[in-house]
Amino acid sequence: MTSAQTDKTGRGADDRIVELEVWTDVACPWCYIGATRLAAALDGFDRRDRVRVTWRAYELASDAEAGAGRREVDALVDSKGMTVEQVQHMFGQVSQVAAGDGLQLDFDATIAANTFDAHRLVHLAGAGTAQGGRVLRALYRAHFADGVAVDDVDALVAIAEEQGLDAGAVRAELADRDSAAAVGVREDELLAARFGITGVPFFIADRAYAVSGAQPVGVLTELLRTAFDGTEDD
């Protein structure tokens, strides 16, 4: 097969786009790690310009009270029946892994949050765009490193402004529970249920190849290669 051969869509195999969908939650440290590893995989991938990433919403705690302002450690002690020592030990393990990927997590400052509005902000920025990816990374950083309550409207508007979004438009969006972005978040979650996704991060390439969890860079690179090579004609 030559590079000029066409794939099953009729496009040239040398210009085909792979659609990579990533289900993630802003309040999931493994999602932050997974997103960082995906960025590293894409940076070293020879067909990076032909991968389109779409960030899809998943709420690990959709029933979490918005605006409660509780420390994450206290929220987990109550919701999981764990001791403070057990939670802190778990946080220590996650922080150690994250540090290996260049991330500094401050769980002592992390505030438990309902992430629905944060997901709406990603959709408003463009879940399938570079700006949407930047907003998501800013939300991760705000939640896990800066002690920001990512279910606070003023905090979300500030993050949006820092990433180049219009503050007035964002505030109006967050005031409308039935906005287009809100619908988009719910559709993402319905898709997750349809695909049987029960944990995040979860990566699906071309809705044909999938891996779950904060996989190493090499595994994510292999997912991308399989998506390209596995869909070409023999």
Side-chain angles (χ1 to χ4, degrees), residues 144-170:
F144 286 110
D146 300 335
V148 173
V150 294
D151 54 5
D152 178 81
V153 171
D154 290 335
L156 291 173
V157 170
I159 291 169
E161 279 194 292
E162 290 172 0
Q163 300 303 317
L165 277 70
D166 178 81
V170 171

Side-chain angles (χ1 to χ4, degrees), residues 15-234:
D15 62 5
R16 191 172 61 79
I17 301 296
V18 160
E19 301 285 351
L20 180 65
E21 298 168 279
V22 186
W23 272 262
T24 183
D25 192 8
V26 172
C28 166
W30 293 108
C31 294
Y32 192 9
I33 294 168
T36 301
R37 291 176 177 176
L38 175 61
L42 288 169
D43 283 346
F45 190 58
D46 55 359
R47 288 165 280 188
R48 168 67 184 93
D49 60 336
R50 294 193 279 126
V51 179
R52 183 181 297 120
V53 179
T54 298
W55 300 99
R56 299 212 177 275
Y58 189 99
E59 295 174 88
L60 287 169
S62 60
D63 58 347
E65 180 184 358
R70 302 181 67 202
R71 289 196 315 152
E72 184 68 32
V73 61
D74 297 326
L76 283 178
V77 166
D78 288 346
S79 66
K80 303 296 185 182
M82 302 169 69
T83 67
V84 171
E85 291 74 19
Q86 288 173 322
V87 173
Q88 289 177 334
H89 177 70
M90 178 180 69
F91 285 164
Q93 291 179 314
V94 177
S95 295
Q96 185 175 14
V97 174
D101 290 278
L103 302 175
Q104 299 301 314
L105 310 186
D106 185 356
F107 282 108
D108 289 334
T110 299
I111 299 173
N114 181 295
T115 57
F116 184 77
D117 283 346
H119 286 303
R120 284 208 284 164
L121 185 58
V122 175
H123 268 268
L124 186 61
T129 69
Q131 186 179 49
R134 289 192 295 271
V135 167
L136 179 62
R137 289 191 294 274
L139 288 165
Y140 283 138
R141 188 167 54 251
H143 181 68
F144 286 110
D146 300 335
V148 173
V150 294
D151 54 5
D152 178 81
V153 171
D154 290 335
L156 291 173
V157 170
I159 291 169
E161 279 194 292
E162 290 172 0
Q163 300 303 317
L165 277 70
D166 178 81
V170 171
R171 198 172 290 278
E173 159 69 31
L174 297 178
D176 181 2
R177 300 302 292 179
D178 295 314
S179 66
V183 171
V185 171
R186 296 184 184 112
E187 288 177 344
D188 286 350
E189 294 176 335
L190 286 173
L191 270 176
R194 173 183 153 196
F195 293 144
I197 297 171
T198 58
V200 285
F202 198 94
F203 306 82
I204 300 180
D206 280 347
R207 299 202 175 175
Y209 309 96
V211 296
S212 63
Q215 296 289 343
V217 172
V219 172
L220 296 173
T221 300
E222 184 60 27
L223 172 67
L224 296 173
R225 293 201 183 282
T226 299
F228 276 101
D229 301 337
T231 56
E232 292 179 354
D233 291 338
D234 294 328

